[in-house]
Every structure is written in C-alpha cells, then in structure tokens.
Amino acid sequence: MWWSLSRSWVASHSSRWNRSSPFHKLLGYFSTRPFYHHYLPLLDRTILRGRVAPKSIFHHVEYDPPPTMNTDHLIKNIKPQSFANLQITLEQINSLKAKASNVGRETKYTTYEILSAHIWRSVSKARNFHNNDQKTKLQIPVDGRTRLNPPLQSTYFGNVIFIASPVALSCDLLSESFSCTVERIHREIKKLDDEYLRSALDYLEEVCDINTISVGSISCASPNLAIVSWMRLPFYKTDFGWGAPLLMRPATMFEGKGYIHPNPANDGSFSLAICLEAHHMESFRKLFYDF
C-alpha cells in the first residue's frame, strides 16, 4: 500500500514540476520504475561543507541573535496567540504590484517579494511598537540549489535552504514608501549568490556551538517575522487515489511565522497562514486588506 501511495504522490508532482526542479527526475523515477534506474538520488553531503580553509568574508546577519523588544525588561508574561488564514485575490496582488512599480527603476519584483513587503509592514503596524528605534528582522528562506556555482545536480536530495534577513528600524520601515520596502527585500534575496552562500557555509563551519544560533519560534517572535513561500508547491495536484485535496494548512504554527500558499481554485490567488499574538491579529487583518 505504501508503494501505491508513493507512486500516486510522485506521479502527480512530477507532471507539474519543470525539468529544473531538484526532484523532477527523482520523482519520475520513483513513480514509474524500480530502484535500479540510473537516476539515483544524490546524497553527497560533502558538497555543502565549508572550504578546507574556511573564510567567511561577509557579516551573516541571518545568524545573529534576533532583535528583541525594547520593552522586554518591562514585560515578561507569555501572551496568547491567534491563527488566521487570509485570502489574497489576484486583483489584490495586482494592486500591490502597481504600488511597487517605479517608473525610474527597471527591476522586476516577484510576487513573493511584493507580498512579503506588504505583510512585514502590516505586521509591524499591528504590533504598534512603542519605540521608533525598535529593530525588526524578516526571515526569508531561499533555495540555494541554483544559486551555487556550479549549481547542484537536479537529483540532489537534501536541505539547501539559506536565509535572507533584511533588518530595519520600525520608524524607517513604516515611513518609507512601499516600493522601498519591496526593494529592501529584493536586495537581500539577490545578495545570496555563490560567494555569499559559500561564506555562509564557512561561517557555520567555524561556529564552535551550532546550538547558539537561534532557530524556530525564538527567531521569528515579535518584533521579528518569518514568511515562507509555498507558492509553487502543487499541493492541490496531489492525489493518493481518493481525489485531490480539499484543503491544505501548515501543521505547526507559532507567533511570527507565516506561509504563503496556493488556493485550490488555481486562479492565481493565494492564502496567507499566519500566527500572531492575539491582541495584534484583529488590527493585522484590517491592515492586511488596506490597499
């Protein structure tokens, strides 16, 4: 039965993903052929090791301790959290794209960059920081497979996620134009080229205790934020034999974490699954739909 479910899952995914997908050949192999096929998954972890003589040449702000609330010394209690799944129509996305356009700039921004800028600004307003000098960090997971030089083979099987981390003072973030926030995010993502990623690997190689790097709920709690893109994952094309899914949601959520994911209608719209402190959520809902 497991093999039947696996064949169904990979068949629906491999038909959707393009040939540059890291799992395209692997999934096609699993869905149609036995294990002796020549497209075997590449499991070589040495590819992502630091260099023999590590040389981290950049300041890797993504691994710095996350900013904390300036009022943490006054407020110690844990606040209740609230979850929401908000729809984003194609018309609303186009409205944000129009706001992000700059006649004098030729840069083309992605839908993810534009939505992330809107979410970051809306969350920061909803949190109503009492100090204008409050630092806030946005965490953006980035797939490094095609950014490394040479790119990893399409059959590489493993985690190659790096983090882009724009940091801003709340006063700067909320006073600058929307297009400036989009450019801020675009610039940080673009920075993750081969040289920067190799430097990041060297930095991690030199860290004495990897547990000192903040991950999980601590890294994106207020005043920070993490926005994950599931925009291209074909969830609603998956069929294990009893039809396509009716609904998809993240399994685990914690404060400051958001996921942009597709809608079953497949009409260019998306949804934002996000968790915030309960007393911030109502304000965020209103700000999120203020275009």
Side-chain angles (χ1 to χ4, degrees), residues 21-166:
S21 166
F23 301 118
H24 176 81
K25 293 180 181 179
L26 176 63
L27 294 180
Y29 140 62
F30 275 135
S31 63
T32 59
R33 294 172 174 83
F35 287 110
Y36 54 75
H37 193 272
H38 63 282
Y39 286 134
L40 292 174
L42 178 61
L43 303 174
D44 186 2
R45 295 293 180 265
T46 63
I47 296 174
L48 296 178
R49 284 181 181 170
R51 287 165 283 207
V52 174
K55 50 177 181 179
S56 179
I57 59 177
F58 295 96
H59 173 205
H60 289 279
V61 65
E62 63 270 30
Y63 301 127
D64 286 348
T68 58
M69 291 292 295
N70 293 345
T71 56
D72 270 358
H73 64 288
L74 301 175
I75 304 172
K76 297 293 184 181
N77 57 311
I78 298 176
K79 299 179 176 64
Q81 300 177 4
S82 176
F83 168 81
N85 193 76
L86 307 177
Q87 304 296 312
I88 313 166
T89 67
L90 183 58
E91 181 181 1
Q92 291 166 337
I93 292 172
N94 289 335
S95 177
L96 288 173
K97 286 182 177 180
K99 285 180 64 177
S101 63
N102 191 320
V103 177
R105 187 179 293 158
E106 297 182 358
T107 304
K108 291 186 177 179
Y109 300 118
T110 66
T111 301
Y112 171 79
E113 290 168 344
I114 291 169
L115 287 176
S116 294
H118 179 60
I119 297 166
W120 192 17
R121 289 162 64 93
S122 298
V123 168
S124 295
K125 288 180 183 178
R127 283 170 169 168
N128 192 26
F129 299 132
H130 294 294
N131 297 306
N132 288 332
D133 61 347
Q134 175 62 62
K135 273 189 178 182
T136 172
K137 177 192 282 190
L138 175 63
Q139 293 191 60
I140 303 170
V142 176
D143 187 353
R145 287 177 172 82
T146 60
R147 293 173 177 267
L148 292 166
N149 186 21
L152 297 189
Q153 296 181 33
S154 61
T155 53
Y156 184 84
F157 195 90
N159 183 356
V160 197
I161 299 299
F162 293 85
I163 303 295
S165 294

Side-chain angles (χ1 to χ4, degrees), residues 71-278:
T71 56
D72 270 358
H73 64 288
L74 301 175
I75 304 172
K76 297 293 184 181
N77 57 311
I78 298 176
K79 299 179 176 64
Q81 300 177 4
S82 176
F83 168 81
N85 193 76
L86 307 177
Q87 304 296 312
I88 313 166
T89 67
L90 183 58
E91 181 181 1
Q92 291 166 337
I93 292 172
N94 289 335
S95 177
L96 288 173
K97 286 182 177 180
K99 285 180 64 177
S101 63
N102 191 320
V103 177
R105 187 179 293 158
E106 297 182 358
T107 304
K108 291 186 177 179
Y109 300 118
T110 66
T111 301
Y112 171 79
E113 290 168 344
I114 291 169
L115 287 176
S116 294
H118 179 60
I119 297 166
W120 192 17
R121 289 162 64 93
S122 298
V123 168
S124 295
K125 288 180 183 178
R127 283 170 169 168
N128 192 26
F129 299 132
H130 294 294
N131 297 306
N132 288 332
D133 61 347
Q134 175 62 62
K135 273 189 178 182
T136 172
K137 177 192 282 190
L138 175 63
Q139 293 191 60
I140 303 170
V142 176
D143 187 353
R145 287 177 172 82
T146 60
R147 293 173 177 267
L148 292 166
N149 186 21
L152 297 189
Q153 296 181 33
S154 61
T155 53
Y156 184 84
F157 195 90
N159 183 356
V160 197
I161 299 299
F162 293 85
I163 303 295
S165 294
V167 178
L169 293 177
S170 57
C171 58
D172 294 335
L173 184 66
L174 300 181
S175 63
E176 68 186 14
S177 67
F178 178 67
S179 60
C180 285
T181 304
V182 178
E183 173 62 24
R184 185 191 290 270
I185 292 172
H186 173 81
R187 188 169 57 245
E188 286 299 313
I189 295 176
K190 185 179 179 180
K191 186 172 71 177
L192 271 64
D193 57 10
D194 178 73
E195 187 178 23
Y196 189 89
L197 299 187
R198 294 294 177 189
S199 174
L201 293 172
D202 288 347
Y203 175 87
L204 294 173
E205 194 77 25
E206 294 176 309
V207 172
C208 296
D209 183 2
I210 202 70
N211 293 316
T212 60
I213 296 178
S214 298
V215 296
S217 60
I218 296 176
S219 63
C220 60
S222 184
N224 308 304
L225 185 68
I227 304 175
V228 181
S229 173
W230 283 354
M231 300 168 71
R232 296 185 180 181
L233 297 182
F235 294 110
Y236 294 103
K237 296 292 184 180
T238 305
D239 186 347
F240 289 102
W242 51 80
L246 298 177
L247 186 68
M248 188 284 302
R249 293 288 186 273
T252 303
M253 297 291 293
F254 39 79
E255 202 272 324
K257 192 70 172 284
Y259 295 82
I260 305 174
H261 60 89
N263 286 326
N266 193 30
D267 57 359
S269 65
F270 294 94
S271 290
L272 169 67
I274 190 167
C275 180
L276 297 173
E277 291 179 7

